Amino acid sequence: MKYKDLIEKMTLEEKASLMSGKDFWTTQNIDRLGIRSMFLADGPHGIRKQAAAADHLGLNASIPATCFPPAATVANSWNVELGETIGDYLGKEAVAQQVDVLLGPGINMKRNPLCGRNFEYFSEDPYLAGKMGASYIRGIQSHGISACVKHFAVNNQEERRMSIDTIVDERTLRELYLTAFEIAVKEGKTKTVMSSYNQLNGSYTNESIHLMKEILRDEWGFDGVVVTDWGGSNDRVAGLLAGNELEMPTTAGETNEEIIQAIRNGIIKEEVLDECVDRLLDLNFTTEAALNKSQEIDFKKHHKVAQRAAEESIVLLKNEGKILPLQKGKTVAVIGDFAKEARYQGAGSSIVNPTILDNILDCFGQSGIVNIGYEPGFERYGKKNIKKLNKACTLAKEADVVLFYMGLDEATEAEGLDREDMEIPENQIDVLNALYKVNPNIVAILSCGSAVEMPWIDKVKGLVHGYLAGQAGARAILSVLSGEVNPSGKLAESYPIQYEDTPSYYHFPGKEVSIEYRESIYIGYRYYDSANKEVRFPFGYGLSYTTFKYSNIQVDKDSVTFELRNTGGVAGMEIAQLYVGCKSEAIFRAKKELKGFTKIFLNAGETKKVTLYFDDKTFRYFNVKTNKWEVEEAEYEISIGASSADIRLTDTLFVQGTGAPIPYDKDQLSTYYSGRANQVGAKEFEHLIGYKLPVSKWDRSQPLGYNDTIAQCQYAKGGIARFAYSVMIFAHWFLRKIGKRSTANIIMMSVYHMPFRGVARMTGGVVNMPMLDGILTIVNGQFFKGLNQVLRERRKMTRVAKEKNPLAKAIKES
């Protein structure tokens, strides 16, 4: 241990106190030993340090900070150097705001397009997500503070996220859902990891010895700090045994006492606590040194970096008749509420208070585009308005080109909620159809943080996907429309034609006890390619104002080399992608997988020789029989493509294997071997995971407990609990009815799906576990007994607090 001498000076109570927060965002301090509090702040794409009342839902404004494009956007840049630059600037601002730990990046897989937090995640592919995540971490930590990669692991839905049990086979867990984290730990060298809320195969993630110790610590060599997601601790002692140092936010000492009693009773050895304290002290002291080097921030310079990030991440999806870039002198009509009030970030804990916010309508003068007027065209939150539609059509008739700003609103994509569908709101499509009748020269500018259905795509000649482009996104989009910037972004996720085409369609979200990942390794393009399923836009797809030619592929045991030529008339950047597919059929696999990529700038007519090197992840698979990574001896197809569906060059390479036994019985897993794994039966899935599926439905005959959700009050024995549930549902319905969707969402995010233990874990000690026992007694039908316990425990808590207050104690004694 690094700090053995210091730890020996601590009392057991002091050591335990360091294991949970002091308040909502800071850790505990021990002044007599020179141990200060650390500040942890949300910040996947900008610092969210709240100066006033703290919350986890983004309700209260934070100190102004640069709002960079979120991860879902920057992933489309496929530019690791850009990711590191963004991390660098995030780190500078974190130091300036005296933030020790920046809670990001988020690198969970986009298993399903409806996950409400997809805007905060990079990709459906673990290699791309891992490389981009590691780049952010390196940039942030170059300033001496800590990044905190999250949410570890397999957190792919928001509904019931604090208690859902994720059922996934070990191979899929390793290959898809942990690989990005492995890269973040080994290549990014993150100092902090945030555990996720959910259970994994029956255990809460921060209590899982397999996940936290065997994989994270022993296999990957992680020696940093694990922090819970806010309110994400279930059993504090079990979490400590698994190596989870820090529980956030504060529980007012309640769980510290649990640790103390566990040590005194011999459940935990004090040496286990000492090791956790040692790692936490190392984080504390190393970040403290960094914060002493605070510097002034040039926010205008940071704004320019945010603009560059947006420009490289914008994806041109359609350009019929080369309608883009807009020709000089062409007039445009700007239609759409998102033009005036841009969607530039997601909603929830990642909301950033921007230092500057570019407005599209103010930027036309510098773009060279002639704007003849603006009309909103539609109501932002879905209400139909014929008057606005008609005014938009009148304006559109007068322009050469219509710029139609469309997308998803803030209440649709939000932390704590999953989307209901993949559709753009009907009122926006009504406007698009009406515009098409009066002026078919339409360029749609799409603003949303995840994949949407596009049955309307024939109504537009141009489609520019800005995703959520950050505070400088408006100017960045205009730079692409005008041709000042040649678009170079490519999709980091597949766009299915309809939601029903997605591999997890039949198993998302988990509504009650568990969610089954029956599709196994077949998510995203892995499924669409293997099942020969047509998509709207494939993974890795994006257009440019120039063209590129690939040629002269050469493969050896270490790398693949080829030539790339810009065959168009303007300079541009191309993202070349390396895919590898095993030609053996002994083990079921995706048809091909991304194993490398690079972004190359080429002037018009320029040719460059490009080499992509193989690494330890190029040919490996996880063998469930040997319980380790193996290489299958076989011929492998090495492909270089402009997207997963646009392969330009191929060659083969024979690779020697590790001689591991075949892990599967092909006859028992025929659906997986076919690649069409969107409707796998329960028996076949049980054969894959190796045990009988747990019951996925609530047992409504049992009394409600700590890990049951408040939503389950609808089945409670206590009439007052059922009445409270009815009031909550009515309030949610009524708020939506009157157009207060964001407020209605708060009910679902902060109440409906919260397990009862969250009432104690998220209230900072206002409600403790004995009081919660009383609440559950009320819920389970014993009103007066439960109320008496709540009041008794509240009085006891108040009395103890007064006894600990020196002023109150002095008054009493006098």
Side-chain angles (χ1 to χ4, degrees):
M1 293 192 300
K2 290 184 180 181
Y3 303 97
K4 183 179 179 181
D5 292 344
L6 181 59
I7 293 170
E8 286 177 349
K9 296 176 183 177
M10 294 183 191
T11 65
L12 176 58
E13 288 75 12
E14 284 174 329
K15 287 188 280 191
S17 75
L18 294 176
M19 297 294 100
S20 63
K22 179 180 180 180
D23 52 35
F24 205 83
W25 294 116
T26 65
T27 63
Q28 188 59 257
N29 58 296
I30 304 176
D31 290 337
R32 76 176 187 88
L33 296 174
I35 300 169
R36 69 192 176 96
S37 291
M38 292 185 290
F39 197 100
L40 295 82
D42 280 313
H45 61 273
I47 319 302
R48 189 176 82 93
K49 182 177 182 181
Q50 291 175 310
D55 70 84
H56 193 48
L57 298 173
L59 304 180
N60 297 311
S62 55
I63 299 168
T66 306
C67 180
F68 293 93
T73 309
V74 179
N76 296 330
S77 75
W78 296 61
N79 189 334
V80 172
E81 289 75 20
L82 176 64
E84 193 159 339
T85 297
I86 293 171
D88 175 27
Y89 280 75
L90 286 170
K92 288 176 183 176
E93 293 194 26
V95 170
Q97 291 195 26
Q98 296 292 287
V99 170
D100 297 84
V101 180
L102 200 55
L103 302 175
I107 59 173
N108 293 97
M109 289 297 95
K110 296 185 180 184
R111 173 183 180 246
N112 185 284
L114 300 188
C115 175
R117 214 167 177 179
N118 276 350
F119 63 84
E120 243 181 274
Y121 303 139
F122 288 104
S123 179
E124 67 188 33
D125 183 85
Y127 191 85
L128 176 57
K131 292 292 184 178
M132 293 301 298
S135 72
Y136 271 60
I137 293 164
R138 287 192 297 269
I140 292 166
Q141 295 189 168
S142 67
H143 297 278
I145 62 162
S146 173
C148 181
V149 69
K150 60 185 185 182
H151 307 87
F152 189 62
V154 206
N155 176 194
N156 307 110
Q157 71 175 62
E158 290 298 285
E159 184 168 332
R160 302 199 71 251
R161 61 179 177 165
M162 293 185 76
S163 55
I164 198 74
D165 187 7
T166 301
I167 310 299
V168 60
D169 67 282
E170 184 73 10
R171 179 185 168 199
T172 299
L173 174 68
R174 296 299 198 106
E175 292 186 13
L176 288 190
Y177 297 102
L178 296 188
T179 290
F181 287 98
E182 179 186 357
I183 295 170
V185 169
K186 291 183 176 179
E187 298 181 22
K189 301 191 183 305
T190 185
K191 297 179 181 179
T192 314
V193 171
M194 182 188 290
S195 58
S196 57
Y197 285 124
N198 55 286
Q199 297 181 66
L200 172 61
N201 294 327
S203 299
Y204 280 95
T205 57
N206 79 308
E207 300 170 12
S208 171
I209 297 295
H210 179 53
L211 187 64
M212 291 293 170
K213 189 173 188 305
E214 294 173 357
I215 297 175
L216 179 64
R217 301 279 188 196
D218 298 343
E219 188 177 319
W220 297 349
F222 178 70
D223 60 358
V225 168
V226 174
V227 57
T228 67
D229 204 340
W230 266 235
S233 176
N234 169 54
D235 183 324
R236 188 65 191 98
V237 173
L240 195 72
L241 283 168
N244 172 200
E245 286 81 12
L246 182 59
E247 175 189 15
M248 292 296 289
T250 182
T251 59
E254 185 173 22
T255 55
N256 302 340
E257 187 62 30
E258 291 175 10
I259 293 171
I260 292 167
Q261 292 305 318
I263 289 173
R264 287 175 176 166
N265 295 333
I267 298 171
I268 303 177
K269 292 182 178 179
E270 192 165 351
E271 290 80 4
V272 173
L273 176 61
D274 290 349
E275 289 176 5
C276 291
V277 171
D278 191 65
R279 290 192 287 260
L280 199 65
L281 289 176
D282 193 48
L283 178 66
N284 193 314
F285 293 142
T286 55
T287 57
E288 180 180 22
L291 297 185
N292 291 332
K293 302 173 184 176
S294 181
Q295 55 185 303
E296 289 295 317
I297 300 298
D298 182 348
F299 284 113
K300 289 185 178 179
K301 183 179 179 181
H302 286 224
H303 185 75
K304 288 291 185 185
V305 174
Q307 181 178 333
R308 180 197 155 202
E311 288 171 350
E312 276 208 42
S313 305
I314 291 166
V315 187
L316 178 61
L317 292 175
K318 186 176 181 180
N319 195 15
E320 182 182 321
K322 294 187 177 179
I323 193 170
L324 294 174
L326 294 169
Q327 297 177 17
K328 295 292 183 183
K330 292 282 187 180
T331 59
V332 301
V334 179
I335 310 294
D337 187 74
F338 293 99
K340 188 175 182 180
E341 299 289 339
R343 260 302 308 284
Y344 62 94
Q345 62 177 327
S349 65
S350 66
I351 287 180
V352 178
N353 183 12
T355 56
I356 305 168
L357 185 57
D358 286 345
N359 185 286
I360 290 157
L361 301 178
D362 296 333
C363 296
F364 277 101
Q366 300 171 19
S367 70
I369 299 171
V370 181
N371 175 24
I372 65 168
Y374 162 75
E375 288 293 342
F378 56 82
E379 299 279 358
R380 192 178 191 86
Y381 293 103
K383 186 177 179 180
K384 295 194 177 186
N385 189 318
I386 296 299
K387 186 177 179 181
K388 287 187 175 183
L389 182 151
N390 289 335
K391 290 178 75 173
C393 290
T394 300
L395 178 63
K397 291 177 185 177
E398 306 301 319
D400 296 318
V401 176
V402 176
L403 299 181
F404 184 50
Y405 285 78
M406 62 192 299
L408 299 178
D409 60 62
E410 292 81 354
T412 298
E413 294 182 292
E415 178 183 353
L417 297 167
D418 295 313
R419 290 159 60 199
E420 295 178 0
D421 54 52
M422 283 184 66
E423 299 173 5
I424 295 291
E426 186 179 4
N427 68 328
Q428 295 184 42
I429 306 307
D430 290 344
V431 175
L432 176 59
N433 289 333
L435 291 172
Y436 181 74
K437 291 177 182 178
V438 300
N439 189 342
N441 295 318
I442 300 172
V443 174
I445 296 92
L446 188 58
S447 298
C448 53
S450 49
V452 293
E453 293 174 357
M454 300 181 184
W456 41 263
I457 196 166
D458 290 340
K459 297 293 195 303
V460 301
K461 288 187 176 179
L463 179 55
V464 175
H465 201 341
Y467 267 70
L468 304 176
Q471 67 179 48
R475 198 178 300 275
I477 289 168
L478 286 179
S479 295
V480 168
L481 295 175
S482 68
E484 181 184 342
V485 169
N486 188 352
S488 61
K490 295 196 175 190
L491 295 175
E493 58 188 319
S494 307
Y495 274 56
I497 294 174
Q498 57 186 358
Y499 178 56
E500 290 82 353
D501 295 339
T502 58
S504 55
Y505 170 73
Y506 295 100
H507 297 280
F508 181 92
K511 288 286 185 180
E512 297 192 7
V513 175
S514 63
I515 173 70
E516 296 166 6
Y517 284 36
R518 293 196 188 185
E519 73 282 355
S520 185
I521 63 170
Y522 297 104
I523 71 167
Y525 73 90
R526 286 169 166 78
Y527 167 71
Y528 300 120
D529 282 0
S530 302
N532 296 314
K533 193 75 175 177
E534 185 181 357
V535 295
R536 181 71 68 189
F537 293 112
F539 175 79
Y541 176 85
L543 301 174
S544 170
Y545 293 151
T546 189
T547 53
F548 299 94
K549 181 182 178 183
Y550 293 71
S551 62
N552 300 331
I553 186 172
Q554 294 181 327
V555 176
D556 60 33
K557 64 181 181 66
D558 297 316
S559 64
V560 54
T561 300
F562 57 96
E563 290 183 353
L564 184 65
R565 180 176 177 80
N566 182 340
T567 53
V570 296
M573 287 186 280
E574 172 69 336
I575 299 163
Q577 302 156 41
L578 165 64
Y579 294 91
V580 174
C582 182
K583 302 186 81 171
S584 166
E585 296 181 355
I587 301 168
F588 71 83
R589 295 175 183 258
K591 187 175 181 180
K592 58 181 179 291
E593 297 178 322
L594 182 75
K595 297 297 182 180
F597 59 90
T598 187
K599 192 166 190 176
I600 308 111
F601 175 83
L602 293 167
N603 286 310
E606 185 180 6
T607 300
K608 285 185 178 177
K609 193 172 186 178
V610 181
T611 299
L612 293 172
Y613 292 94
F614 305 144
D615 61 20
D616 63 327
K617 297 167 186 66
T618 305
F619 303 107
R620 75 178 189 178
Y621 75 97
F622 193 83
N623 188 302
V624 293
K625 275 193 175 178
T626 63
N627 195 38
K628 63 181 182 178
W629 294 102
E630 305 284 2
V631 175
E632 184 182 1
E633 187 167 297
E635 288 275 346
Y636 288 81
E637 186 166 78
I638 310 299
S639 304
I640 300 295
S643 79
S644 63
D646 184 10
I647 301 300
R648 305 291 183 88
L649 303 170
T650 60
D651 202 347
T652 58
L653 177 69
F654 178 78
V655 178
Q656 288 188 331
T658 50
I662 301 301
Y664 302 119
D665 181 344
K666 191 172 184 177
D667 293 335
Q668 298 287 340
L669 300 172
S670 58
T671 308
Y672 293 110
Y673 275 87
S674 76
R676 298 178 178 86
N678 62 324
Q679 292 193 61
V680 176
K683 286 187 177 180
E684 187 171 354
F685 186 52
E686 286 178 343
H687 191 84
L688 180 70
I689 62 177
Y691 58 89
K692 188 172 178 60
L693 280 170
V695 176
S696 62
K697 301 293 184 183
W698 289 317
D699 184 349
R700 291 166 173 77
S701 66
Q702 295 297 313
L704 299 183
Y706 294 145
N707 291 321
D708 292 310
T709 64
I710 292 173
Q712 290 171 256
C713 282
Q714 60 188 299
Y715 311 117
K717 293 180 180 178
I720 194 168
R722 294 195 303 273
F723 175 74
Y725 171 81
S726 299
V727 170
M728 178 173 59
I729 293 302
F730 174 79
H732 179 261
W733 171 84
F734 181 74
L735 288 167
R736 287 180 66 91
K737 189 75 174 175
I738 64 174
K740 302 289 186 180
R741 288 178 58 203
S742 294
T743 307
N745 284 351
I746 292 170
I747 293 175
M748 305 304 285
M749 288 188 285
S750 60
V751 183
Y752 189 84
H753 293 303
M754 181 179 285
F756 279 97
R757 63 179 163 79
V759 176
R761 297 295 190 240
M762 290 292 282
T763 54
V766 175
V767 176
N768 63 15
M769 293 302 284
M771 289 173 67
L772 180 61
D773 289 335
I775 292 171
L776 283 168
T777 301
I778 294 171
V779 167
N780 289 314
Q782 295 178 283
F783 177 79
F784 292 106
K785 180 180 179 181
L787 179 62
N788 183 55
Q789 182 172 351
V790 171
L791 295 175
R792 184 176 66 249
E793 293 298 333
R794 183 64 190 169
R795 287 194 295 269
K796 186 187 297 183
M797 183 191 295
T798 303
R799 185 175 66 250
V800 170
K802 285 182 178 179
E803 289 173 354
K804 289 183 178 180
N805 185 318
L807 179 60
K809 189 175 182 180
I811 293 171
K812 183 178 180 181
E813 290 174 352
S814 64

